[in-house]
Amino acid sequence: MILAVGNVKGGVGKTTIAVNLAIALARSGRDVLLIDGDEQGTAVAFTELRTAQMKGNPGYTVVSLHGGAIRTQVRQLASKYSDIVIDVGGRDTGSLRAALTVADVVLIPVQPRSFDLWGVDQTAELVKEARELNEGLKAISVLNSADAQGKDNEAAAEALREVEGVELAPGFIVRRKAFPNAAASGLSVLEYDDPKAIEELNRLTEMLFVHATAIGAK
C-alpha cells in the first residue's frame, strides 16, 4: 500500500499520524518506507530521535523527498517495500500533488474546527484532479485531535460525511497527551502506556489494512 497523509490545512496532526502509522505497520512485520515530503522535516527529525532511542533501528526506513521527486522515487521504490507512507506538508504544494498521483490511499486528518473542515473541501478538489491521472485513488478523512466529549465531534463528522469523494474513517483520534509525550521520546503511542490512544490508532491501522488487502487483490 502507498499511503499519503495530507491536507492543505496545516496543524492538523499529519506527521504525528504518519509516523505512528509507519511504526504500526512495521510492528506488524511489514517492510515500511516513510517519506518526509514536508520541508519542515519533522518526520526525519523524529526518526533521528527514534533511532537513538531504539539503539540504531527505528524499525522502518525514512527518506526526505519533495515535489516531483516523490512521484519518480515512489514508482521506483514501490516494489521494494510492503508499504510506503508519505507525510506531506500543510499547503497546496507540488509534493502533495505528486503524492496524490502515486498513492493508493490518501488519509486526510481533520480537527473538529470550522477552518479545518473548510480545508477538507480544498483537499477533496485536489483529490478529484489527481483521479484524472490516478483513477483508483481512495480518499479517507479521519477526525483527529477530537474532543474527549461534547457535540463538536459528531457535528464535524456529519460535515465530513457530506464531502464528495471522501470516505470518513470510523471512530475518532482523541486529543491526548500520549501522542506528544510519546513523540518527544521517539516512540509511537503503541509503545506508550495509554490504552485508549492505542485502541484508536489500532482501529485506524486495521481499517487501512482492509484497504491494503483490497488493493492487493486487484
Side-chain angles (χ1 to χ4, degrees):
M1 176 177 60
I2 301 171
L3 170 69
V5 183
N7 188 334
V8 298
K9 175 70 174 64
V12 295
K14 295 180 300 298
T15 299
T16 298
I17 286 184
V19 298
N20 272 278
L21 287 174
I23 294 169
L25 292 167
R27 282 167 58 93
S28 70
R30 299 170 76 85
D31 192 6
V32 179
L33 173 66
L34 173 62
I35 295 177
D36 190 337
D38 189 340
E39 293 180 358
Q40 294 184 9
T42 307
V44 167
F46 168 83
T47 304
E48 290 172 350
L49 175 61
R50 179 173 177 80
T51 300
Q53 177 73 16
M54 297 295 175
K55 299 180 180 179
N57 182 16
Y60 57 87
T61 302
V62 66
V63 295
S64 177
L65 296 170
H66 303 104
I70 291 177
R71 178 170 48 249
T72 302
Q73 292 299 311
V74 166
R75 286 172 173 167
Q76 292 179 0
L77 295 170
S79 63
K80 299 179 181 179
Y81 293 91
S82 305
D83 302 292
I84 296 178
V85 179
I86 311 170
D87 172 33
V88 283
R91 297 186 309 281
D92 179 358
T93 62
S95 294
L96 174 56
R97 288 175 177 266
L100 293 178
T101 64
V102 291
D104 297 310
V105 180
V106 56
L107 184 68
I108 309 169
V110 189
Q111 295 187 3
R113 317 287 181 262
S114 60
F115 288 112
D116 288 21
L117 294 171
W118 296 341
V120 177
D121 289 328
Q122 298 175 43
T123 307
E125 283 299 314
L126 294 183
V127 169
K128 184 178 179 180
E129 292 178 21
R131 283 177 175 149
E132 295 180 5
L133 297 173
N134 184 10
E135 184 178 350
L137 175 63
K138 180 173 287 293
I140 303 170
S141 62
V142 58
L143 200 59
N144 188 43
S145 294
D147 300 324
Q149 56 186 358
K151 298 181 179 180
D152 288 349
N153 294 340
E154 190 50 47
E158 188 61 32
L160 291 172
R161 292 187 187 100
E162 299 300 319
V163 179
E164 185 178 357
V166 180
E167 174 186 338
L168 176 63
F172 310 143
I173 304 292
V174 175
R175 183 171 59 251
R176 304 184 189 281
K177 291 182 179 179
F179 284 95
N181 290 349
S185 300
L187 301 175
S188 162
V189 291
L190 299 176
E191 301 157 330
Y192 201 80
D193 188 19
D194 188 324
K196 291 183 177 179
I198 292 171
E199 178 184 357
E200 290 164 2
L201 183 64
N202 279 336
R203 181 176 57 231
L204 180 61
T205 306
E206 288 167 6
M207 181 207 65
L208 293 169
F209 264 129
V210 170
H211 286 293
T213 301
I215 290 164
K218 291 181 180 179

